[in-house]
Amino acid sequence: MRKTMVAGNWKMNKNLQEGVALAQELTSALKGTTPRCEVVIGTPFIHLATVAQVIKDSPIRLSAENCSDKVSGAYTGEVSAEMVKSTGAEYCILGHSERRAYYHEDNELLKEKVLRALENGLKVIFCIGEVKEEREAGKQNEVVKSQLEGSLFNLSDEQFANITLAYEPVWAIGTGLTATPEQAQEMHAYIRSLLASKYGEQRANDTTILYGGSCNAKNAAELFANPDVDGGLIGGASLKAPDFLTIINAR
Ligand code: 13P
């Protein structure tokens, strides 16, 4: 049975003290419990080392939201995958549409970032998804396929075992416009079929595919009820402990 997961992506929200307070709130609520899904929080780089200490005796796992495509050296302002790993983080979110849109990260660059993360023992939550115009033109499958082929399909089956996918239709992120459960299921099943063609049925069945985009405490259960939706990557609703906990319990 593949792993189910609810992961938070804090994006560029919360200063260090606020982030620690949120991590403490989640830790108190989840300590000693066994959530039905894996629980991950993705925080800004500067929070990682401190939050790692806060959550260390809880079931919560830690993720970065990005890492460099370079190994080390004179790259002012960059943070390497090795540095991320040294904080205690286990995961790295890569390929988020905000990184693609605002920081011009393309498939080729993301391919390098994925390799750096894996080389350093990080697991990757890799985001894919189409923009509104692409969905309106019926091109969503094509877009998602080229994102997978361009950044991940160079990986061996063994490497791919460390990838969690997140289907995040860009038109649904932060807009309140959620994909319908049918749209999510249809795309997740399509993604799984692509994985089956490339890596075989076993890997396709074992790969966790999350939905992201205005997933919240109210609609999570309906989205997660679909057979190919293995959980969620949550933005806004991961910033409030009660909402995030409701979503975790919906999985
Ligand atoms: P929202 O949940 O705020 O729409 O963000 C989704 C997202 O981008 C998670 O990575």
Side-chain angles (χ1 to χ4, degrees), residues 90-156:
E90 226 179 287
Y91 284 92
C92 188
I93 298 169
L94 290 173
H96 195 280
S97 62
E98 288 148 17
R99 303 281 332 159
R100 292 177 191 262
Y102 307 142
Y103 302 97
H104 314 296
E105 296 193 359
D106 59 14
N107 291 345
E108 202 50 42
L109 178 85
L110 291 167
K111 181 170 156 184
E112 292 303 313
K113 291 193 174 202
V114 169
L115 290 172
R116 294 302 87 70
L118 296 179
E119 284 158 12
N120 285 284
L122 290 167
K123 290 180 271 190
V124 172
I125 299 173
F126 193 81
C127 308
I128 51 181
E130 80 287 356
V131 301
K132 188 161 158 273
E133 295 72 26
E134 291 164 338
R135 161 89 35 188
E136 284 168 356
K139 291 192 168 148
Q140 63 272 19
N141 287 8
E142 211 177 294
V143 170
V144 160
K145 184 168 189 250
S146 78
Q147 290 170 334
L148 285 172
E149 287 177 347
S151 303
L152 297 179
F153 280 6
N154 57 306
L155 300 176
S156 67

Side-chain angles (χ1 to χ4, degrees), residues 7-9 11 93 96-98 127 168 172-176 212-216 233-238:
N9 175 10
K11 308 191 179 184
I93 298 169
H96 195 280
S97 62
E98 288 148 17
C127 308
E168 300 207 309
I173 297 178
T175 58
S214 298
C215 181
N216 58 39
L233 181 57
I234 318 299
S238 73

Side-chain angles (χ1 to χ4, degrees), residues 9-247:
N9 175 10
W10 291 3
K11 308 191 179 184
M12 196 171 75
N13 292 295
K14 304 217 173 269
N15 65 29
L16 180 59
Q17 291 72 27
E18 291 164 347
V20 166
L22 175 55
Q24 277 165 341
E25 214 179 328
L26 294 170
T27 300
S28 319
L30 293 174
K31 224 171 173 170
T33 70
T34 315
R36 284 192 299 268
C37 60
E38 189 162 306
V39 177
V40 178
I41 52 176
T43 82
F45 290 131
I46 66 129
H47 298 58
L48 291 172
T50 317
V51 167
Q53 292 309 307
V54 174
I55 63 176
K56 72 176 187 308
D57 297 321
S58 83
I60 305 170
R61 321 287 177 94
L62 189 58
S63 179
E65 300 174 14
N66 185 21
C67 74
S68 178
D69 59 312
K70 303 291 193 295
V71 175
S72 67
Y75 300 102
T76 302
E78 285 292 279
V79 175
S80 71
E82 186 191 359
M83 292 171 187
V84 168
K85 178 73 178 176
S86 74
T87 64
E90 226 179 287
Y91 284 92
C92 188
I93 298 169
L94 290 173
H96 195 280
S97 62
E98 288 148 17
R99 303 281 332 159
R100 292 177 191 262
Y102 307 142
Y103 302 97
H104 314 296
E105 296 193 359
D106 59 14
N107 291 345
E108 202 50 42
L109 178 85
L110 291 167
K111 181 170 156 184
E112 292 303 313
K113 291 193 174 202
V114 169
L115 290 172
R116 294 302 87 70
L118 296 179
E119 284 158 12
N120 285 284
L122 290 167
K123 290 180 271 190
V124 172
I125 299 173
F126 193 81
C127 308
I128 51 181
E130 80 287 356
V131 301
K132 188 161 158 273
E133 295 72 26
E134 291 164 338
R135 161 89 35 188
E136 284 168 356
K139 291 192 168 148
Q140 63 272 19
N141 287 8
E142 211 177 294
V143 170
V144 160
K145 184 168 189 250
S146 78
Q147 290 170 334
L148 285 172
E149 287 177 347
S151 303
L152 297 179
F153 280 6
N154 57 306
L155 300 176
S156 67
D157 175 65
E158 196 185 1
Q159 287 172 314
F160 201 89
N162 295 299
I163 307 288
T164 294
L165 293 174
Y167 170 57
E168 300 207 309
V170 182
W171 46 272
I173 297 178
T175 58
L177 277 179
T178 317
T180 64
E182 294 73 27
Q183 284 171 323
Q185 169 56 28
E186 191 181 11
M187 179 55 89
H188 284 223
Y190 173 66
I191 293 168
R192 215 179 288 290
S193 76
L194 294 174
L195 300 184
S197 317
K198 172 70 187 168
Y199 293 102
E201 290 290 339
Q202 186 68 47
R203 178 60 56 216
N205 281 329
D206 288 351
T207 302
T208 301
I209 309 178
L210 309 177
Y211 168 79
S214 298
C215 181
N216 58 39
K218 289 206 173 77
N219 61 25
E222 202 186 0
L223 285 159
F224 297 168
N226 291 285
D228 286 293
V229 179
D230 306 314
L233 181 57
I234 318 299
S238 73
L239 298 171
K240 290 195 191 113
D243 287 12
F244 193 55
L245 291 163
T246 301
I247 298 170

